[in-house]
Every structure is written in structure tokens, then in C-alpha cells.
Amino acid sequence: EIVLTQSPATLSLSPGERATLSCRASQSVSSYLAWYQQKPGQAPRLLIYDASNRATGIPARFSGSGSGTDFTLTISSLEPEDFAVYYCQQRSNWPPTFGPGTKVDIK
Amino acid sequence: EVQLVETGGGLIQPGGSLRLSCAASGFTVSSNYMSWVRQAPGKGLEWVSVIYSGGSTYYADSVKGRFTISRDNSKNTLYLQMNSLRAEDTAVYYCARDWDGYNLDWGQGTLVTVSS
């Protein structure tokens, strides 16, 4: 089973700042990595798939990069609605696995 | 518009059984890969099971032999039969429509609490 590690666990930033979230896989997942956003009391929402492709309706301030074992989710300028928990997920190897999440909270 | 509505959660004693339902609208369940993903209180996401459009099913090791995923094409509904429930199965259970191996559309979740 591929283990995903996310860092930092918590990121404290102000609106308008840039957020950089990291996801590292225990072995290569090629580009088969997604990012999800989850707000309190809500279901997760797919943001990025295949490492760098934005899902339908996702604002351009969200971008993903990386391949192999190291991936990054960047939010170029934080909006108030972006404060949430972000999870990465790999679908390269069975079973699909999620990272533990990074919480982006308001500084 | 795609909509997924889970029902069937509740409080159940250890060793008991529960069946979750996920009613879908806006698309055909049998033509899609459908998954169950769970989230223990205050914890992260854990993939539980998937059913492919062709009918093949797969399970996480933690639930294999205890949980069964199925669908009713006439009702456009996905199910998760959960037997021999344990305290560690306590979680919000989400159903999701998959796309290219990722969970694209999610329901609002249903809470299962296993406790005596």
C-alpha cells in the first residue's frame, strides 16, 4: 500500500497570501494524484486530478504540480472560502489511498 | 445535475449489521464506477469499496469479508451492507461517483456509530 505524507499539518496564512501544500508518496505514483478540499461538515470536493489538471469549475488560483513521489498544491492568493482541509489521493496502485490532510487556517 | 443522497446510518451495537443506501440522480449508477469512502470523527479519508460498471467489486482489507457493495439498477441506488461491525467502523460514510479513478461527485454522508 502506498503511503502519502502531507506537510505541513497546519498552515496559518492570511487572505491574499500564497499557500503551498506538499504531498509525498512512499513510492512513485507517476502523475496519478488528486487533491481534494473539505470544509467543516461538508463532503470533499475534487480540485485537481492527474497532478496538474483542474476539475470542472475550480478557480484558476488552484494549481497542482509534480510527478513520481513529490507533489505540490498551490493556491496563488487565498480567498476567505479557501480556508479548509486539503487531502491528496493516489490512484496509481491498489488500494487507492489518501494523505492525512493539511489544514489551512486563518492567521 | 448529479446528486447523491446517503441514508441508513445510525447507532448500532458491536457485532451488528447495517445497510447504507445511496440514491443517485442525474446519472446512471450502473454505467459508472461507484465508491464508498469513510471518515472517522476528526480523522482523514479512507477508501472502503468500489463497484465497477461491469459489476466487479473490491474492498479495503479492513472491511473485506464483512462489507458488501452492490447496486439496484432499477432504483439507481448503491448499497453497502455492513456486517460484524466494530467500534473502528464508526465514521461518516460517503458514496461517490468515480471518474478516471478519482472521486468526482460525493454525497453528503451518513454517520454510522458502533457502540454499546
Side-chain angles (χ1 to χ4, degrees):
Chain A
E1 174 174 316
I2 291 180
V3 176
L4 299 177
T5 304
Q6 291 186 242
S7 61
T10 303
L11 193 55
S12 297
L13 295 168
S14 300
E17 289 193 294
R18 182 184 188 90
T20 302
L21 288 66
S22 175
C23 176
R24 178 164 290 178
S26 59
Q27 64 189 79
S28 176
V29 299
S30 186
S31 294
Y32 299 123
L33 188 109
W35 291 92
Y36 298 83
Q37 176 194 66
Q38 187 178 34
K39 298 178 182 179
Q42 296 186 16
R45 177 174 70 147
L46 179 65
L47 298 176
I48 301 287
Y49 65 93
D50 290 348
S52 61
N53 298 293
R54 276 190 303 277
T56 301
I58 302 303
R61 63 181 181 273
F62 292 93
S63 64
S65 63
S67 66
T69 61
D70 290 295
F71 300 86
T72 301
L73 174 70
T74 301
I75 310 171
S76 60
S77 178
L78 282 164
E79 296 288 339
E81 62 268 27
D82 298 337
F83 292 93
V85 179
Y86 294 83
Y87 296 96
C88 57
Q89 179 222 355
Q90 66 82 23
R91 69 129 175 127
S92 173
N93 281 35
W94 199 260
T97 51
F98 292 89
T102 290
K103 182 179 182 180
V104 179
D105 65 15
I106 300 176
K107 187 174 182 180
Chain B
E1 180 193 3
V2 170
Q3 192 170 17
L4 296 162
V5 178
E6 302 97 333
T7 56
L11 176 63
I12 187 77
Q13 291 189 338
S17 297
L18 211 55
R19 188 179 80 158
L20 306 183
S21 300
C22 172
S25 57
F27 71 99
T28 302
V29 165
S30 61
S31 299
N32 286 266
Y33 291 10
M34 298 292 297
S35 289
W36 288 96
V37 177
R38 68 185 180 183
Q39 185 170 36
K43 302 297 185 183
L45 302 167
E46 180 187 17
W47 173 81
V48 173
S49 181
V50 64
I51 183 167
Y52 288 170
S53 51
S56 298
T57 59
Y58 300 90
Y59 301 91
D61 286 346
S62 57
V63 307
K64 198 174 297 181
R66 300 187 298 123
F67 289 12
T68 303
I69 191 172
S70 63
R71 66 192 182 208
D72 184 328
N73 297 344
S74 66
K75 295 182 178 179
N76 208 34
T77 297
L78 178 72
Y79 300 101
L80 186 68
Q81 176 68 43
M82 304 186 296
N83 300 330
S84 302
L85 282 161
R86 307 166 180 167
E88 55 264 36
D89 296 318
T90 294
V92 174
Y93 284 75
Y94 296 100
C95 67
R97 180 171 74 120
D98 292 359
W99 174 81
D100 200 29
Y102 303 112
N103 305 122
L104 177 60
D105 299 301
W106 299 65
Q108 85 289 348
T110 187
L111 176 62
V112 173
T113 303
V114 184
S115 175
S116 55

